[in-house]
Amino acid sequence: MTLSTKQSSNVVVVSNSSDNPFAIDVAYAMGQHDDIADIISMKQFMNSEFCPRFISDESDFENIGFKLKGKSVVIVSTGSLVKSRQELAMTNLIIARAAKENGAARVILVEPDLFYSAQDRGPSKDLGETSFDRDINDIKKFDGQPFTAKLYAQMLKLSGVDTVMTIHNHSDSVQKIFTEVFNGDFHNLIPYEIYSHYLLNSNILDYGEDGEGLVLCAPDKGARSFVQKMFNTLGLSKAKFIMLDKERTAERKVEITLHKESEHTFDGLDGASIILFDDMVRTGSTVVKSCQFLQKINPERMVFAVSHFYASEEGRQKMAHPALGEILTLNTLPTILNRDVQGRLRKKMVVLKVEKWLAQELCNILDLPQSPEQNPYKIDMSSKNPRFKRKIWFSEELHELKKV
């Protein structure tokens, strides 16, 4: 997918790190072949304060302050092993302000894993609109804390950001506040088609032609709508859908049961292939507990699909548990691609790279001409994975696995 030279000249893709590989791939997919480092200088004063500079012709004194006139500036922001989220967030704000003060018509923040979404409400009912009625116990959990998701949205808007694009944000409260602050110009992309294409065309799960022996599992009621849409997107009429319930018994302890509103019970599911979906994983405690609970079905295969994988040391240790067979994740946190860091999890991981998909969605938002790909993602799998037969990189090559 490549834009015409004329159209791509009206779009500038940068990042909060000049060597961010995720941002570089998004830029390339949008037709920008110049290095980000040649577009913006990440200047820093001796006192450590950040002051970026969009690079211009040093001899041009006629267009000072208008380098970006009429252009759309896209800031691609992801997590990093080098900088904290606080540093990256502040960098976003300053780059957005630099873009606007130099003539940019529109600033778009692309943040696949939206910062500060964990703190999605505050210590009163009017600080966070949830899908459930907040009782006194829920409000008390946030006593003395700020509603940082709202603060981040307001600061982005103040800095000059016009549009925010993210992937699979889990919080109704965050989605509502960003939609409100950005007057509807907030885009929460859900990768239904990407997950569906991989699940239908790879050998990660074993099931019949119409989904016989396949079970889709929601870890809680909050994930129900997402998994229901996944169920519908897959289009396998004989697959089953179950929903779990988790009750927190302590700060980091949960009890897992089958939810009373689950579409199916465990009856008749013995030996099925199970795929458990969630939007994010941090410590891995809940997902491992859920997979252990699902062992009651005696599954043939147990797969965990997650959009945002925080590769913490604790998480890596816990998810090496044998109850969790394989992990399917996106590269919204690009550090997931560093296999040496993942250790033993290399044997059970497959990463779907979504830079092209994001670039395609950006072209839609910017109303730019494109030649869209039907399945715009790539696949990254370690040769240590037992399913590895040969290198499969492009999504359209998946069917060839069945010939090997």
Side-chain angles (χ1 to χ4, degrees):
M1 176 189 64
T2 305
L3 308 182
S4 70
T5 304
K6 182 178 180 181
Q7 289 294 333
S8 61
S9 66
N10 292 323
V11 178
V12 177
V13 182
V14 296
S15 177
N16 48 21
S17 172
S18 58
D19 59 354
N20 183 335
F22 190 96
I24 291 169
D25 284 350
V26 170
Y28 189 84
M30 294 189 71
Q32 177 178 294
H33 293 201
D34 290 338
D35 287 341
I36 290 173
D38 292 330
I39 295 173
I40 186 170
S41 171
M42 300 299 187
K43 177 182 174 183
Q44 186 166 295
F45 292 121
M46 289 298 293
N47 64 1
S48 79
E49 291 177 0
F50 175 61
C51 183
R53 181 183 184 185
F54 284 90
I55 299 170
S56 60
D57 182 355
E58 292 296 327
S59 63
D60 182 6
F61 287 83
E62 301 296 323
N63 298 294
I64 297 173
F66 296 100
K67 157 78 176 177
L68 301 172
K69 184 178 180 181
K71 297 182 184 292
S72 294
V73 175
V74 179
I75 305 170
V76 181
S77 168
T78 66
S80 165
L81 287 175
V82 179
K83 293 184 178 180
S84 70
R85 289 194 166 212
Q86 284 67 241
E87 291 177 286
L88 294 170
M90 192 66 188
T91 301
N92 290 337
L93 302 177
I94 297 174
I95 292 175
R97 179 55 61 90
K100 274 299 175 72
E101 290 183 352
N102 283 275
R106 186 177 184 184
V107 176
I108 301 172
L109 175 69
V110 178
E111 202 158 69
D113 177 37
L114 192 60
F115 295 174
Y116 298 104
S117 292
Q119 196 72 2
D120 64 353
R121 49 198 189 273
S124 66
K125 280 196 172 184
D126 62 339
L127 293 173
E129 297 181 39
T130 60
S131 58
F132 56 88
D133 185 30
R134 297 185 66 190
D135 59 22
I136 191 66
N137 292 321
D138 181 78
I139 294 171
K140 179 60 180 175
K141 285 195 300 184
F142 297 87
D143 191 14
Q145 301 178 50
F147 182 8
T148 47
K150 182 177 181 179
L151 173 63
Y152 188 46
Q154 292 172 331
M155 291 174 69
L156 288 171
K157 186 67 175 178
L158 179 64
S159 71
V161 173
D162 303 291
T163 305
V164 174
M165 176 188 285
T166 191
I167 295 177
H168 199 175
N169 185 270
H170 73 290
S171 171
D172 290 334
S173 179
V174 170
Q175 293 171 44
K176 287 176 181 177
I177 195 64
F178 270 79
T179 299
E180 176 186 317
V181 170
F182 290 93
N183 301 311
D185 206 354
F186 171 68
H187 307 266
N188 184 32
L189 309 178
I190 312 294
Y192 299 115
E193 290 78 12
I194 288 177
Y195 280 136
S196 177
H197 183 268
Y198 187 79
L199 294 174
L200 290 172
N201 292 280
S202 72
N203 58 351
I204 195 171
L205 291 166
D206 187 22
Y207 53 86
E209 184 176 347
D210 296 315
E212 300 94 333
L214 175 64
V215 177
L216 276 66
C217 181
D220 51 41
K221 195 170 182 178
R224 184 184 211 162
S225 61
F226 168 71
V227 182
Q228 184 65 63
K229 181 67 181 290
M230 276 303 315
F231 186 92
N232 296 337
T233 305
L234 285 168
L236 299 172
S237 59
K238 294 185 180 179
K240 304 295 184 183
F241 179 21
I242 59 176
M243 181 169 63
L244 305 182
D245 192 17
K246 58 185 178 186
E247 180 183 353
R248 291 207 175 272
T249 56
E251 178 66 24
R252 297 181 67 180
K253 290 185 179 180
V254 294
E255 291 295 329
I256 306 296
T257 58
L258 184 67
H259 201 288
K260 61 182 180 181
E261 297 179 20
S262 177
E263 277 74 356
H264 294 94
T265 65
F266 283 2
D267 292 343
L269 301 184
D270 189 66
S273 287
I274 304 175
I275 181 161
L276 173 70
F277 289 96
D278 212 347
D279 61 295
M280 71 173 67
V281 62
R282 291 193 179 98
T283 66
S285 298
T286 301
V287 63
V288 171
K289 280 269 190 181
S290 297
C291 290
Q292 288 176 303
F293 178 74
L294 291 166
Q295 292 303 307
K296 294 179 180 181
I297 298 175
N298 188 30
E300 180 181 350
R301 296 188 184 180
M302 181 73 242
V303 175
F304 175 50
V306 59
S307 295
H308 309 297
F309 189 100
Y310 295 87
S312 66
E313 183 175 355
E314 179 181 3
R316 289 193 297 270
Q317 291 175 352
K318 289 183 176 178
M319 284 182 282
H321 195 285
L324 201 166
E326 196 159 0
I327 301 167
L328 177 65
T329 186
L330 308 182
N331 65 325
T332 58
L333 291 97
T335 52
I336 197 69
L337 296 171
N338 187 331
R339 294 202 187 101
D340 292 333
V341 172
Q342 307 317 321
R344 288 184 295 167
L345 285 191
R346 288 180 298 173
K347 299 178 180 180
K348 58 169 68 178
M349 290 191 71
V350 57
V351 181
L352 306 183
K353 301 184 67 181
V354 295
E355 293 95 331
K356 274 195 174 183
W357 177 58
L358 270 179
Q360 194 162 291
E361 294 298 327
L362 275 166
C363 289
N364 291 336
I365 289 173
L366 290 164
D367 196 25
L368 295 173
Q370 58 177 308
S371 300
E373 293 184 13
Q374 191 172 1
N375 302 295
Y377 70 93
K378 291 184 178 180
I379 302 150
D380 190 272
M381 180 193 292
S382 170
S383 59
K384 302 294 184 182
N385 189 308
R387 285 197 300 118
F388 185 90
K389 295 181 180 178
R390 69 174 182 80
K391 185 66 178 177
I392 293 292
W393 184 248
F394 296 101
S395 57
E396 58 265 27
E397 294 179 315
L398 280 174
H399 69 280
E400 296 179 17
L401 282 174
K402 298 175 182 178
K403 300 177 184 178
V404 179

